[in-house]
Amino acid sequence: MTNKRNNVNRKYKDRLFKLIFREKGDLLQLYNAVNGTDYDNPEDMEINTLEDAVYMGMKNDVSFLVKDILNLYEHQSTYSPNLPLRGVFYFADLYWKILAGIDIDIYSSKLIKLPFPQFVVFYNGTKQQPERQVFHLHSAFPEVMRKCRKLEEYSIFIGKVRENTDRKMPIKDAVDHAVEECINEGILEKILRENREEVCSMLLSEYDEQAHIESEKKIAREEGRQEGIQEGIREGIIKGKEAGLQAGEDLLARLVACLQHDGRFQDMERLSDAETRKRLYQEYNLSDL
């Protein structure tokens, strides 16, 4: 007798999952359930599934954008620890799709901003699994430090320095204490004994350099943020006047004050967009006259 089960389409579950959540409203409800959010406008969602993308012989179910989050949702009936790797392949193609047609230079000194990737897999197999678990891509890499004792000892030494600084210990004392502790424990003992002064000097220089770089970055970010905020406010006022809005400057000033109070600087940078202003006016119960 012929075993008719051999003719069964083994991908039917994946296709059913995709069919069930093909409507934006249903998919948004699933997103809210997974993330604990309460978005209520399906049109805020942009579905961008790559229909012709096949990895490991399986098609991806659905991908979509919500705000600044790029989501990939899949159904799996077979357990696999390689899902993070599949996600890397898929997101790489998806980012190219998102950026297609945009004049960009990936070698530019200007940062190309991308939506944050979130890969969620719904497991419906027979193997017992936790209700929720997180897979990490780094689990696929060899444990290098186990194969190189010197690298492991270096990591331990730096870890001790950081532990000391986390305890609010001055950086010089933190380094000296870590050196002494490692020598006593036989960690990088020969190097630290013979080159103690040089090691301490190098670490102090590195920490000073890192502190300077972080300080410069902070200043640059704040200057860029303030410039973006002011530009958004200026464009918002200009567009408000062009649209013939009454008391546009006063209304916008009230909105800016509310956003500043709540620390919503990213929203302030987007005030040149009419839809953003309208949404924020409604959110803060301000009259968009």
Side-chain angles (χ1 to χ4, degrees), residues 119-163:
F119 188 11
V120 178
V121 177
F122 300 93
Y123 177 71
N124 193 28
T126 57
K127 184 177 180 180
Q128 188 68 30
Q129 295 293 331
E131 183 176 353
R132 284 181 180 241
Q133 60 181 314
V134 179
F135 288 6
H136 298 281
L137 182 63
H138 65 69
S139 300
F141 301 126
E143 294 292 335
V144 179
M145 287 193 294
R146 293 181 181 177
K147 299 179 180 180
C148 180
R149 175 59 183 170
K150 277 291 188 292
L151 179 62
E152 184 178 14
E153 291 183 358
Y154 169 75
S155 178
I156 293 172
F157 172 54
I158 297 299
K160 288 182 180 295
V161 174
R162 288 175 178 165
E163 287 176 6

Side-chain angles (χ1 to χ4, degrees), residues 68 225 229 263-271:
D68 295 327
R225 170 179 289 177
I229 290 172
R264 298 174 61 174
F265 299 108
Q266 289 186 343
D267 285 328
M268 292 172 67
E269 295 173 8
R270 301 188 183 105
L271 289 177

Side-chain angles (χ1 to χ4, degrees), residues 9 34 42 53 175 178 186 232 243:
N9 185 346
V34 170
V175 173

Side-chain angles (χ1 to χ4, degrees), residues 229-262:
I229 290 172
Q230 294 303 320
E231 183 62 25
I233 293 172
R234 284 194 295 270
E235 291 188 21
I237 292 173
I238 293 172
K239 291 185 178 181
K241 287 182 176 179
E242 290 175 350
L245 301 179
Q246 299 296 318
E249 291 186 34
D250 179 63
L251 181 63
L252 188 59
R254 289 160 59 196
L255 176 59
V256 169
C258 292
L259 294 173
Q260 284 179 329
H261 179 270
D262 293 342

Side-chain angles (χ1 to χ4, degrees), residues 7 9 12 34 36 43 67 72 108 121 139 188 253 259:
N7 298 323
N9 185 346
Y12 77 97
V34 170
E43 296 310 311
K67 301 296 182 182
L72 169 59
S108 169
V121 177
S139 300
L188 295 178
L259 294 173

Side-chain angles (χ1 to χ4, degrees), residues 151-185:
L151 179 62
E152 184 178 14
E153 291 183 358
Y154 169 75
S155 178
I156 293 172
F157 172 54
I158 297 299
K160 288 182 180 295
V161 174
R162 288 175 178 165
E163 287 176 6
N164 293 336
T165 56
D166 288 343
R167 299 191 193 108
K168 308 303 180 183
M169 189 180 294
I171 181 61
K172 185 178 185 305
D173 294 341
V175 173
D176 285 338
H177 188 76
V179 168
E180 193 66 35
E181 191 174 359
C182 284
I183 290 175
N184 293 335
E185 295 177 7

